[in-house]
Amino acid sequence: MTPRFPGALLALLIAVVTSAPAFAQPTNTTPALVAVPAPAAVPLLAMKPVATPAPPPSAPQILAADQQTLVQLNAQAGITSDDGRLAGMGAHAAAIEARARRLYAAAAVQLASVEQSLAAIEPPKRKSAAAAKAAPFLAQRSALQSQMSQAGSVSAAAESSFNLIAERRRAGFSARLLTRSDSPLSPGFWTSLSGAAGDDSTRLLGLAQDAVTMPFQAPEPRGLLGLGAALALAAVLLLPARRWLEKLGRRKSGESVHPGFARTGAALWIVAVDTGAPTLALLALHIGAEWGGLLSTEADKLAGAVVGATAWAAGIVSLGRVLATEKDPSQRLLPLPDDVARRMRLPLQIVALVTAAGSLLTRLNYVAGASVAATIATNCALSLAYAAVAGLILISFGRGRRARETDQPADATPAPAWTLISVVLASAIAVTLAAVLAGYTTLAALTSGQIFWLAIIAAATFLAIRFVDDLMSAVFSQGGIASRGLFTLFSLRRSTIGQAGVLISAALQLVILIAALSLALTPFGNGGDQLISHLQDLASPIEFGSATISPAAIAAGIATFILGMAGARAVQRWIVRRYLPVTDWDSGVRNSVTTGVGYVGVILAMLCALAATGLGFQQIALIASALSVGIGFGLQQVVQNFVSGVILLVERPVKVGDWVSIDGAEGDIRRIRVRATEIETADHSMVIVPNSDLITKAVQNKTLGNSRILVQLPLAIVDAGQVRKARELILDIAKCKSGIVESPAPQVLVQSLGAAGAVNLSCNFYADDPRQTVRLRSDCYFQIMEALQRHKIAFSGWSAPA
């Protein structure tokens, strides 16, 4: 029989050597939360403890104390926000985890020695003697197995606590938007990164070992079956199924009678297929590997992150394809030249790759419980990568513009949209680089990430709005489903049905815009709370004696007014472009509605701006009362003209398109402004008339109600015997002349009898357009003179030849 003491002695030496430096707690500026005694050596169950005045605690006692410590650490981690205190708590959890692993290893060595001792026992002749001889070893094996189980549980709990504390530190660091860390140009940055590299690499190696070991422990043949089925399904989804679905979507959308819906419907289908196919393929691989038991816990989390990153990258590429990079120009939703479309394909693919890699790297830091130094380094790397991709896109746009400038005239101006995009990209790149070099890594990561986050939201919003607009236009068109149903059920007019479709489309587009705005604020925190709180800290009130000026309130008021005016103008443009064309209103009503919406928008924008600055209704009333004196003296005429303009829009005695005459000015009303009305005369000159004159003075509106106007043509026939013949010729010309109404019918009346037998006639008819009276009078005179000369009827100014 081999004695068990050499194995036990070897285990004792290993435990002493490995545990001595581990139990020393790391130096920290914060006090330790729980004091745990650290023995100099781990006692072995196979040896009898030496009698001392104060015996060290046993391994089960140490593990039990560590379990209680971890409970307290978890409780305090949830309520602690100080980074230094969290760092000390994380170091304490790491020490507990290392101690539990060493106790587990020591117990494993002892267990191996006990197993060898049991195997070396020679079976005696009597069973009772053999049982008595093996009993101490069996009891020791049971105790060691219990110790290993307890140590494994404590190690897992300590790892969970460390990850929780690390996540709290990372979240706290990310929440501090303007917190400055060491710059990558300073030695402190690399010193902290190298100091944390050991623990980070150890955790990564542990994750890698678990991920590699897990497939070899998977049950057979379940693991191979799950992986094989998942690979087959993924191959089908990526190749034949995806291509067949794309062709099906284009064919079905091409059957639509609405051309706009055919394009946007196909585009939305392509985005869904190109995003869903690779995502579902990787999801099938993930589910198959998980079902087959091939993934560890951490590998399963990373596999889920791979699926999410794939969906993100595929969505970027598919959105870019349908909007800008589609090879067929007729399928692109953006009117881009072919050279620009080709140039944008590579940057879009790089954007998709970089964003997917950034998402995976961020998730890896979370799963591995990376240190704050690793998180800062990750933010720096991702920020620089995003800035590089944004610079590549900016350079591509610049080359495209320079290539097109050679084919354009010298006075051609660049599109304002592309100019705005270039300015935004250049500003974001500059802010990102400056923030990285200055050490504001969270600000750099947020700014660089926002570039592509907002771009993707804008692209998806544009596609969704176009699709909704085209869908409602197709559904509520004259042959659409909704149009036929509403006309059959309620006998509504076609114009009313069209208006309903436009309003429903506007409501859905508004919902999409609100959802897009909410998503755009998501990286700033819940509803933008983090960003707003930081801005409020920067824009604290400034006191000058007894007066207090709040830059935040002033900036909020200005921003609210600008956004309100932009919203009012957008609503006006939408009404003019989409809603008014489907109505049967005349131009005057349309102008009144458009101008009235503009007035309401300006008033609402001003009220919202005043409210944003912190002024309540009482303060607004006080300001209005103070301004009333100045209005009464200096702005009386302006206010009078403004009120008159409102009366003109509501009462509508004159409207846009009317032919009016006031104070000798006669012409068409082209526009009713806030202060004055523009009248275009017959010589195409513009007369500006104050609105109050149109209310207080006599105005002749020749097109109010019935737009017909009487035209009189005086004519003198020299010979009274030819009057009847002349009358017939004049009436024939008036009846056949375009622009002359049939009812009341034209008339030729005798005005008076002139000298030497002459008869003064008057040809009276009504013109349907008062603006054409001068032309009609001239044309009729020409035709009447030609007819009278042809029939040799003498009239004043011409005598028939003898």
Side-chain angles (χ1 to χ4, degrees):
M1 182 183 69
T2 303
R4 61 186 176 90
F5 295 106
L9 183 59
L10 179 60
L12 175 60
L13 292 176
I14 293 175
V16 170
V17 172
T18 56
S19 62
F23 292 140
Q25 295 296 325
T27 303
N28 187 30
T29 57
T30 57
L33 298 177
V34 181
V36 180
V42 178
L44 303 179
L45 296 180
M47 300 181 60
K48 295 182 179 180
V50 180
T52 57
S58 62
Q61 291 175 344
I62 294 175
L63 293 174
D66 286 344
Q67 285 180 333
Q68 296 179 359
T69 302
L70 291 175
V71 172
Q72 297 180 17
L73 286 176
N74 291 334
Q76 295 187 21
I79 60 176
T80 302
S81 58
D82 182 71
D83 186 69
R85 193 171 181 83
L86 288 172
M89 295 166 63
H92 203 165
I96 292 175
E97 180 185 2
R99 184 159 56 226
R101 289 180 179 272
R102 283 190 293 271
L103 290 175
Y104 184 93
V109 172
Q110 288 183 281
L111 183 61
S113 177
V114 170
E115 295 291 347
Q116 290 178 0
S117 299
L118 286 173
I121 294 176
E122 297 178 359
K125 297 180 179 179
R126 292 183 300 174
K127 294 183 178 180
S128 58
K133 194 173 183 179
F137 295 100
L138 294 175
Q140 188 178 11
R141 183 176 63 179
S142 177
L144 288 172
Q145 290 176 346
S146 176
Q147 177 180 330
M148 291 176 62
S149 176
Q150 186 181 11
S153 177
V154 171
S155 176
E159 182 181 6
S160 177
S161 298
F162 182 85
N163 291 336
L164 173 63
I165 296 171
E167 178 61 25
R168 287 277 298 168
R169 294 188 65 193
R170 286 194 301 271
F173 180 79
S174 299
R176 295 187 293 272
L177 184 64
L178 299 179
T179 299
R180 187 176 182 273
S181 60
D182 292 329
S183 170
L185 302 179
S186 64
F189 175 87
W190 302 103
T191 301
S192 60
L193 184 61
S194 61
D199 293 337
D200 291 336
S201 59
T202 301
R203 292 185 172 277
L204 287 176
L205 288 176
L207 294 180
Q209 289 176 359
D210 293 342
V212 172
T213 306
M214 197 67 183
F216 294 100
Q217 300 176 353
E220 295 294 343
R222 182 174 177 177
L224 292 177
L225 289 177
L227 184 61
L231 286 173
L233 180 58
V236 171
L237 287 173
L238 285 176
L239 296 176
R242 173 172 166 267
R243 294 178 180 177
W244 179 78
L245 288 174
E246 284 186 1
K247 294 180 181 179
L248 177 65
R250 290 197 182 279
R251 184 173 69 250
K252 292 297 182 181
S253 61
E255 297 173 357
S256 173
V257 297
H258 193 274
F261 177 71
R263 290 183 62 196
T264 54
L268 190 64
W269 179 261
I270 291 299
V271 170
V273 171
D274 285 359
T275 304
T279 304
L280 291 177
L282 286 183
L283 183 61
L285 288 175
H286 181 197
I287 294 175
E290 185 180 13
W291 178 80
L294 302 176
L295 299 176
S296 62
T297 303
E298 291 77 11
D300 183 67
K301 296 178 181 178
L302 291 178
V306 170
V307 175
T310 302
W312 183 259
I316 294 175
V317 174
S318 60
L319 277 173
R321 173 187 173 185
V322 299
L323 292 179
T325 64
E326 185 70 56
K327 294 182 179 180
D328 187 1
S330 62
Q331 299 296 331
R332 297 183 204 136
L333 296 184
L334 294 178
L336 297 177
D338 291 339
D339 58 337
V340 176
R342 287 193 304 269
R343 194 175 290 110
M344 289 182 63
R345 289 170 191 159
L346 180 59
L348 278 175
Q349 294 173 359
I350 297 177
V351 168
L353 181 61
V354 170
T355 51
S359 176
L360 286 177
L361 192 57
T362 303
R363 185 61 178 173
L364 180 61
N365 284 342
Y366 173 78
V367 173
S371 60
V372 175
T375 302
I376 295 174
T378 301
N379 288 343
C380 291
L382 291 179
S383 301
L384 294 176
Y386 288 150
V389 174
L392 177 62
I393 295 175
L394 189 61
I395 293 173
S396 300
F397 281 144
R399 290 178 177 176
R401 285 198 300 269
R402 284 198 303 269
R404 291 191 300 273
E405 283 177 358
T406 57
D407 300 331
Q408 293 179 353
D411 57 347
T413 57
W418 298 120
T419 302
L420 179 61
I421 291 175
S422 302
V423 171
V424 171
L425 281 178
S427 302
I429 293 172
V431 171
T432 299
L433 294 178
V436 168
L437 296 179
Y440 296 99
T441 56
T442 304
L443 177 62
L446 183 63
T447 303
S448 59
Q450 280 295 103
I451 299 174
F452 304 107
W453 174 248
L454 294 179
I456 292 171
I457 290 177
T461 303
F462 175 79
L463 176 59
I465 287 177
R466 284 282 302 270
F467 174 75
V468 167
D469 192 19
D470 293 337
L471 177 62
M472 292 298 103
S473 298
V475 171
F476 286 91
S477 62
Q478 187 171 0
I481 299 175
S483 179
R484 294 196 305 267
L486 292 175
F487 181 78
T488 303
L489 294 176
F490 305 106
S491 299
L492 296 178
R493 294 187 304 171
R494 299 294 184 184
S495 61
T496 304
I497 297 174
Q499 296 175 36
V502 171
L503 293 177
I504 293 174
S505 175
L508 294 177
Q509 293 177 31
L510 183 61
V511 171
I512 293 173
L513 288 175
I514 293 174
L517 181 61
S518 176
L519 288 175
L521 292 176
T522 298
F524 295 122
N526 295 327
D529 293 339
Q530 285 185 13
L531 180 65
I532 294 174
S533 63
H534 290 302
L535 293 178
Q536 287 177 350
D537 294 338
L538 292 176
S540 56
I542 303 174
E543 294 184 358
F544 293 95
S546 60
T548 302
I549 299 176
S550 176
I554 296 175
I558 296 174
T560 303
F561 181 74
I562 293 175
L563 292 176
M565 291 297 297
R569 294 293 182 266
V571 172
Q572 270 189 315
R573 288 194 296 268
W574 178 83
I575 288 176
V576 172
R577 182 178 59 87
R578 291 288 294 120
Y579 182 71
L580 293 180
V582 300
T583 64
D584 52 1
W585 299 340
D586 56 25
S587 60
V589 177
R590 296 184 180 187
N591 179 78
S592 298
V593 171
T594 305
T595 308
V597 169
Y599 286 169
V600 173
V602 172
I603 294 173
L604 291 178
M606 293 178 63
L607 292 177
C608 293
L610 292 175
T613 57
L615 297 177
F617 288 104
Q618 295 180 353
Q619 289 83 356
I620 295 174
L622 181 62
I623 295 174
S625 62
L627 292 177
S628 61
V629 178
I631 291 174
F633 288 98
L635 302 178
Q636 181 179 4
Q637 293 297 325
V638 175
V639 175
Q640 182 180 3
N641 288 323
F642 174 77
V643 175
S644 300
V646 174
I647 294 174
L648 291 176
L649 292 175
V650 176
E651 187 179 340
R652 300 177 67 230
V654 295
K655 59 184 182 296
V656 173
D658 285 352
W659 184 272
V660 299
S661 176
I662 177 174
D663 288 342
E666 182 175 351
D668 275 318
I669 295 180
R670 292 304 183 190
R671 191 172 184 181
I672 300 177
R673 294 181 176 271
V674 176
R675 189 193 64 83
T677 298
E678 299 177 0
I679 299 177
E680 184 180 5
T681 60
D683 59 354
H684 298 290
S685 62
M686 199 68 69
V687 179
I688 308 299
V689 180
N691 290 334
S692 58
D693 290 352
L694 296 175
I695 298 297
T696 59
K697 294 183 178 180
V699 180
Q700 182 183 8
N701 191 344
K702 298 183 179 181
T703 55
L704 182 62
N706 192 350
S707 61
R708 294 176 298 181
I709 186 170
L710 178 64
V711 180
Q712 294 180 332
L713 301 179
L715 185 66
I717 302 300
V718 176
D719 187 359
Q722 296 179 323
V723 170
R724 291 188 177 277
K725 182 63 175 177
R727 176 176 178 272
E728 293 177 359
L729 293 174
I730 294 173
L731 289 178
D732 291 340
I733 293 172
K735 291 179 180 179
C736 298
K737 185 65 177 175
S738 61
I740 299 177
V741 299
E742 297 180 356
S743 180
Q747 295 178 334
V748 177
L749 305 176
V750 176
Q751 294 285 4
S752 63
L753 299 177
V759 179
N760 297 321
L761 302 178
S762 176
C763 176
N764 300 336
F765 59 85
Y766 286 90
D768 57 2
D769 187 359
R771 303 168 186 82
Q772 304 298 327
T773 54
V774 176
R775 183 185 61 81
L776 280 176
R777 183 182 288 108
S778 176
D779 292 345
C780 289
Y781 267 131
F782 275 116
Q783 294 183 12
I784 289 172
M785 287 189 297
E786 290 177 359
L788 294 178
Q789 290 173 359
R790 189 168 52 252
H791 290 82
K792 297 181 180 180
I793 299 176
F795 54 90
S796 177
W798 183 81
S799 299

